[in-house]
Amino acid sequence: MQQSLAEKFYYLMKLGRVFELRAKEEYMKGNIGGFLHLAIGEEAVHVGATVAFEKGDIFTHYRDHVYAIAKGIEPKYLMAELFGKKTGVAKGKGGSMHFFEPSLNFYGGNAIVGAHIPHAVGMAYARKYRGENTGVLVAFGDGATNSGNFYESLNLASLWKLPIVFLCENNLYAIGTRIDRASAITDIYLKAKPYMMAKQIDGMDVFEVYKAVMEAKEYIQEESKPYFIEALTYRYEPHSMSDTGNYRSARELEIAKSKDPIERLKKSGLLSESYIKYIDDLVEKEIEEAVEFAKNSPEPEETELYTDIYCEVCKNVIP
């Protein structure tokens, strides 16, 4: 069981990392425009949580690529979305920050910090109202916990006893502002403790993330109450491609990379050298195919500007 999980984790984390490294490369070539926020270094949180939560609804922030991959969306459709192509997961209209696939219960990226947290609470309310206990997981960064709607969401989730897991990825920085310069409370789980069960975990250990989210999922389903997890993690890349990242020292980055989740899993003894090589080669091939698919996909037609904007009963008024 543990070995099969390790193999799954390695594949998804490696796939996510190579996807993002290639996305960075294509961005620098000019093939990807707009914003691009990379989660390199945070793969253990994204993969461990998504695999553990399985069939439940997942809402994420705009650093959403690896969550989408772990949820089962094919990399070629995600890469096509980054390229702004018709075959993209959001028809090329959303780009990096707006991956979305409701058929897989993935209500992905949201460009406004913390704006998706109330959306997730609303979904949890709907699930409870309909008598469904699969629950909802909402992921957000430490910066989002300084916004008013974060506390409003905690309050309503607790008041209404909703089946929702709040997952905070504490990577120490909100864009370029270190947490101790923006938050009076730096152990984020303490912000949630008055409202619900809350704990802090090592977000660089994919097994610890998986175990914590599994426990949280069982709790919200059995008790119909919310649960809060703070995962301590780190992103190696700057906030976005437009950020120089010069607010962090080389030493700080070096310390963080010494805890790399992928390398940590490779050293666990659960993976054979032959399996690692097989997956490394497979992932390179898959991502190369995804890039080729994106490059060769058609651009959206101009008429797409007028679709997916208004409700069905209103669309006949579009000129």
Side-chain angles (χ1 to χ4, degrees), residues 33 35 64-65 78 81-82 84 89-90 92-99:
F35 291 98
D64 56 359
H65 309 150
L78 300 175
E81 186 61 34
L82 296 184
V89 70
K93 301 178 181 182
S96 170
M97 298 194 287
H98 297 284
F99 287 172

Side-chain angles (χ1 to χ4, degrees), residues 161-295:
K161 297 180 173 57
L162 300 181
I164 181 170
V165 176
F166 295 93
L167 176 62
C168 176
E169 300 168 19
N170 185 356
N171 63 25
L172 303 180
Y173 290 92
I175 306 182
T177 304
R178 191 174 172 86
I179 187 171
D180 53 12
R181 296 186 63 195
S183 178
I185 299 172
T186 55
D187 287 319
I188 302 296
Y189 78 104
L190 296 177
K191 294 183 178 183
K193 213 161 188 178
Y195 298 93
M196 62 194 67
M197 290 278 289
K199 68 187 298 186
Q200 184 184 79
I201 64 169
D202 179 1
M204 303 298 271
D205 183 335
V206 66
F207 275 101
E208 186 167 339
V209 175
Y210 175 81
K211 182 174 181 289
V213 174
M214 283 288 287
E215 290 173 353
K217 181 179 72 170
E218 291 170 6
Y219 177 86
I220 67 168
Q221 290 177 347
E222 293 171 5
E223 303 293 332
S224 190
K225 291 179 182 178
Y227 198 105
F228 190 98
I229 298 171
E230 175 191 6
L232 302 176
T233 186
Y234 201 88
R235 56 173 165 83
Y236 305 158
E237 298 290 322
H239 170 71
S240 72
M241 292 298 292
S242 59
D243 174 18
T244 61
N246 58 7
Y247 42 83
R248 302 181 296 185
S249 69
R251 181 174 178 274
E252 181 177 316
L253 274 168
E254 184 181 351
I255 292 171
K257 289 181 178 181
S258 70
K259 304 172 186 176
D260 185 82
I262 295 176
E263 293 303 315
R264 197 166 174 174
L265 185 57
K266 286 169 69 174
K267 295 173 183 175
S268 67
L270 294 169
L271 303 172
S272 67
E273 289 297 326
S274 59
Y275 179 80
I276 291 170
K277 185 180 186 310
Y278 165 73
I279 291 300
D280 289 352
D281 292 343
L282 176 64
V283 163
E284 291 292 342
K285 182 174 180 290
E286 286 187 26
I287 297 305
E288 185 61 38
E289 289 174 351
V291 171
E292 287 304 308
F293 176 81
K295 285 180 178 178

